[in-house]
Amino acid sequence: AQSVSQHNHHVILSEAASLELGCNYSYGGTVNLFWYVQYPGQHLQLLLKYFSGDPLVKGIKGFEAEFIKSKFSFNLRKPSVQWSDTAEYFCAVNEAGRRALTFGSGTRLQVQP
Amino acid sequence: DGGITQSPKYLFRKEGQNVTLSCEQNLNHDAMYWYRQDPGQGLRLIYYSQIVNDFQKGDIAEGYSVSREKKESFPLTVTSAQKNPTAFYLCASKTALSGANVLTFGAGSRLTVL
């Protein structure tokens, strides 16, 4: 069965620090990849997505992610975090032909001013 | 504004009682989903529905039931058979026109079993 692993469960950074959150998935075929974010008290919302093409995708609020097929990874990055980036981040994968997303366990990011 | 409305936001129930969580969308989306969110476990799929009058079990369907009588509505019933029902429940939807699963989420319902 398809699975998604997020190894960082809780990350604490100071403002202006660089961020990289890991995401690995288990399926070897064609996949669509997503990062969703849940700000405190708000709905889950899409941060960025990869379907095909350029493996480096850019999302909202300065986030980007790189799809490395050989490593089954889709890590999320931001060069300089802000206090407003404090949230929970979820990686999700949709394998071709499967009708629903599989989510990782989430990473709680806390940015200290 | 278009979106997904989940109700109630907070719900308390006694053990042995069934409870139904409402999910309504005015986005004209074809597919609807129920996920359960627990700390440290992310989102796990309970049930989903691609079209009216059809639905499929997800990864953790035991102890839950759903119906899809209308396109806009996808209620979830948490039955007394669910061993650990205390959780945050999220409803989501997407249009069939989307080539991949870009989901729109509701605000969630938090169920606590006393």
Side-chain angles (χ1 to χ4, degrees):
Chain A
Q2 176 177 270
S3 67
V4 181
S5 298
Q6 292 183 245
H7 303 293
N8 315 104
H9 299 295
H10 187 195
V11 173
I12 302 174
L13 295 173
S14 299
E15 277 194 313
S18 63
L19 170 72
E20 181 161 2
L21 301 182
C23 173
N24 289 89
Y25 61 94
S26 62
Y27 183 65
T30 301
V31 292
N32 298 309
L33 300 156
F34 306 81
W35 276 97
Y36 280 83
V37 59
Q38 190 173 37
Y39 296 104
Q42 295 188 28
H43 300 198
L44 262 170
Q45 57 185 281
L46 182 69
L47 197 57
L48 49 79
K49 61 186 184 293
Y50 172 80
F51 294 164
S52 63
D54 188 345
L56 184 62
V57 293
K58 296 192 184 297
I60 60 172
K61 302 187 180 184
F63 286 91
E64 65 179 29
E66 185 175 14
F67 170 49
I68 304 179
K69 190 174 182 179
S70 61
K71 294 185 177 180
F72 301 94
S73 71
F74 190 56
N75 293 355
L76 181 70
R77 299 194 294 248
K78 185 171 184 178
S80 175
V81 295
Q82 300 173 323
W83 177 79
S84 59
D85 293 324
T86 294
E88 189 154 20
Y89 294 80
F90 295 92
C91 181
V93 174
N94 167 232
E95 69 183 78
R98 193 168 191 266
R99 297 186 179 275
L101 286 177
T102 300
F103 284 82
S105 57
T107 297
R108 189 156 69 93
L109 172 65
Q110 186 177 343
V111 180
Q112 297 176 332
Chain B
D1 287 340
I4 298 178
T5 301
Q6 290 187 240
S7 62
K9 190 171 182 178
Y10 299 96
L11 184 60
F12 297 87
R13 121 178 168 196
K14 295 181 181 179
E15 279 192 29
Q17 290 180 333
N18 291 355
V19 62
T20 297
L21 307 180
S22 170
C23 178
E24 303 278 333
Q25 53 100 357
N26 60 4
L27 300 165
N28 199 32
H29 283 177
D30 301 285
M32 297 186 74
Y33 303 80
W34 276 105
Y35 284 91
R36 170 179 169 143
Q37 185 178 5
D38 296 281
Q41 297 193 57
L43 279 70
R44 293 180 290 167
L45 182 67
I46 305 173
Y47 268 99
Y48 63 99
S49 168
Q50 299 291 307
I51 57 172
V52 175
N53 292 323
D54 184 56
F55 48 83
Q56 307 294 327
K57 291 183 179 180
D59 301 317
I60 55 165
E62 186 176 350
Y64 299 97
S65 66
V66 293
S67 63
R68 187 86 187 276
E69 296 176 2
K70 298 185 299 182
K71 187 176 184 178
E72 312 82 58
S73 178
F74 191 42
L76 173 73
T77 296
V78 185
T79 75
S80 57
Q82 168 51 232
K83 300 301 181 190
N84 185 22
T86 294
F88 189 54
Y89 292 89
L90 285 166
C91 180
S93 69
K94 81 170 189 75
T95 173
L97 296 176
S98 172
N101 286 326
V102 179
L103 299 177
T104 299
F105 282 89
S109 293
R110 187 168 298 279
L111 172 63
T112 302
V113 175
L114 305 172

